[in-house]
Amino acid sequence: MSKFDPYDHLNVSLNQDGTLTRYMKLPTTAPNSDSTQAVLSKDVTLNADKKTWMRLYRPSNVPSAARLPVILYFHPGGWIQMSVAESLIHEFSTRTVAEVPSIFVAVDFRLAPEHRLPAQYDDAMDAVTWVKNQSTDRNGDPWIRDLADLNRCYLYGASCGANIVYNTALRLPEMKPQPLKIAGTILNQPFIGGKKRTKSELKLATDPYFPLPVIDLLWELALPVGTDRDHRFCNPLVDAAMKEKVKSLGKCLVIGFGGDPLVDRQQELVQMLVERGVQVEARFDDVGFHNIDLIDNRRAMAILNFIKEFV
């Protein structure tokens, strides 16, 4: 792999000012206001100064007096790519709401390296605060104010989004999100790391989709300047203070695949959570690679069924 260029693999280049040029432009989809469709969606501003926003989804038909769970969703993309406007994420979000009736809040957080960690955690806290404020404001967003069940709020993230969810959940007790109650966290193939290589990382170092040099580069672009992969944002197993906070996670669903170089770390995370008394539901499949559910409909539906049972 000596000639392997992770920038080429990711289809990006690093500029002298520390920003990225992203050459891959994925198709986007506008929100849907057509009430003849099963799922409605709309865009709302989260923080105008930070240029963050969210796409909200809900079923078109909600029974009178019904209250729906709230799912705050954080997308994959290795910290550096993707948006909730991209058709891939929009279709996933629409399908999720069709299968799991909910108020689904897909957060378009800031990307690295232009905005390094913990900027993404800050954006997630902004999103939780936004939902809380809408629920208590007489003039708040009617989808939240009139349809949301504040006792059933879930944080759901995939890949780097799962890392955001994990770190955000540990911060929430300091915020006192009441009347919002975080009923659970969903960590789909969490993007976590560490300096010492695991067996799965070494075994799958040349994985065609998520090779080790790409994983290392993504952390290099996302972590605070001057830190390494044993920083607490990357490695949840080395910081004693963080491990003491994990009971605030509530119940937790962790999903992983045997062909993911990160699978050993994900299973170590599950073990750590269980040892500290967290109610964990672990769903690991021996077959499958990182983010397989974005391109494999069968795996995507299997994960949706896990979430339906969990929520």
Side-chain angles (χ1 to χ4, degrees):
M1 296 185 71
S2 58
K3 295 180 180 178
F4 179 85
D5 185 343
Y7 287 98
D8 282 348
H9 184 92
L10 293 165
N11 207 10
V12 299
S13 61
L14 186 63
N15 304 315
Q16 286 189 341
D17 63 358
T19 63
L20 277 187
T21 298
R22 300 164 175 87
Y23 298 105
M24 185 170 60
K25 305 297 181 185
L26 293 175
T28 60
T29 301
N32 173 55
S33 58
D34 181 358
S35 59
T36 65
Q37 301 294 311
V39 176
L40 297 173
S41 52
K42 65 179 180 181
D43 293 344
V44 299
T45 298
L46 178 56
N47 186 305
D49 293 336
K50 297 177 182 177
K51 298 181 180 177
T52 53
W53 58 280
M54 303 177 293
R55 182 163 290 181
L56 274 59
Y57 300 79
R58 52 158 282 198
S60 294
N61 297 312
V62 180
S64 177
R67 289 280 176 168
L68 300 174
V70 178
I71 300 175
L72 285 105
Y73 175 72
F74 300 87
H75 65 78
W79 308 110
I80 67 166
Q81 293 172 325
M82 303 197 79
S83 161
V84 298
E86 288 173 0
S87 301
L88 195 67
I89 301 297
H90 177 78
E91 289 163 9
F92 155 80
S93 302
T94 300
R95 182 193 299 181
T96 300
V97 174
E99 293 290 328
V100 187
S102 55
I103 306 298
F104 194 84
V105 182
V107 182
D108 207 73
F109 51 82
R110 289 171 291 173
L111 299 179
E114 293 85 355
H115 306 280
R116 290 175 175 268
L117 291 166
Q120 293 75 12
Y121 307 155
D122 295 339
D123 295 345
M125 293 294 286
D126 287 349
V128 175
T129 302
W130 183 88
V131 173
K132 172 186 174 180
N133 290 344
Q134 303 311 305
S135 69
T136 55
D137 186 344
R138 190 172 61 182
N139 298 314
D141 185 282
W143 290 14
I144 303 292
R145 187 193 63 212
D146 302 335
L147 299 176
D149 181 350
L150 302 183
N151 289 312
R152 290 191 295 155
C153 186
Y154 295 85
L155 302 179
Y156 174 19
S159 189
C160 68
N163 178 299
I164 293 171
V165 162
Y166 180 81
N167 283 277
T168 301
L170 298 187
R171 281 185 174 195
L172 281 178
E174 301 162 15
M175 181 190 120
K176 298 180 180 175
Q178 295 79 8
L180 229 62
K181 180 182 178 184
I182 305 301
T185 53
I186 302 166
L187 308 178
N188 181 4
Q189 305 159 76
F191 189 8
I192 51 179
K195 286 173 65 176
K196 185 178 179 181
R197 303 298 190 193
T198 64
K199 288 182 180 178
S200 62
E201 286 173 340
L202 295 172
K203 177 184 174 183
L204 297 165
T206 58
D207 177 68
Y209 177 69
F210 207 38
L212 211 48
V214 166
I215 294 172
D216 289 353
L217 175 62
L218 292 174
W219 283 120
E220 187 180 317
L221 293 172
L223 285 168
V225 174
T227 63
D228 60 33
R229 293 192 307 275
D230 275 342
H231 190 281
R232 67 184 183 279
F233 295 162
C234 176
N235 190 342
L237 301 178
V238 295
D239 190 283
M242 275 189 73
K243 289 196 285 188
E244 286 304 309
K245 295 180 178 180
V246 299
K247 290 180 183 177
S248 63
L249 288 171
K251 67 175 183 174
C252 189
L253 171 64
V254 184
I255 299 163
F257 294 94
D260 183 350
L262 306 180
V263 68
D264 284 356
R265 296 193 183 279
Q266 294 159 358
Q267 291 179 337
E268 289 171 0
L269 175 66
V270 168
Q271 182 178 347
M272 184 270 286
L273 295 176
V274 170
E275 287 172 352
R276 279 160 179 76
V278 178
Q279 181 186 342
V280 182
E281 184 178 328
R283 299 279 195 159
F284 284 86
D285 190 327
D286 290 340
V287 179
F289 50 85
H290 194 78
N291 282 338
I292 186 175
D293 48 310
L294 288 180
I295 60 172
D296 184 328
N297 282 334
R298 189 171 61 87
R299 296 306 173 88
M301 285 306 300
I303 289 175
L304 269 178
N305 286 330
F306 298 155
I307 292 167
K308 195 183 297 186
E309 293 172 9
F310 184 75
V311 172

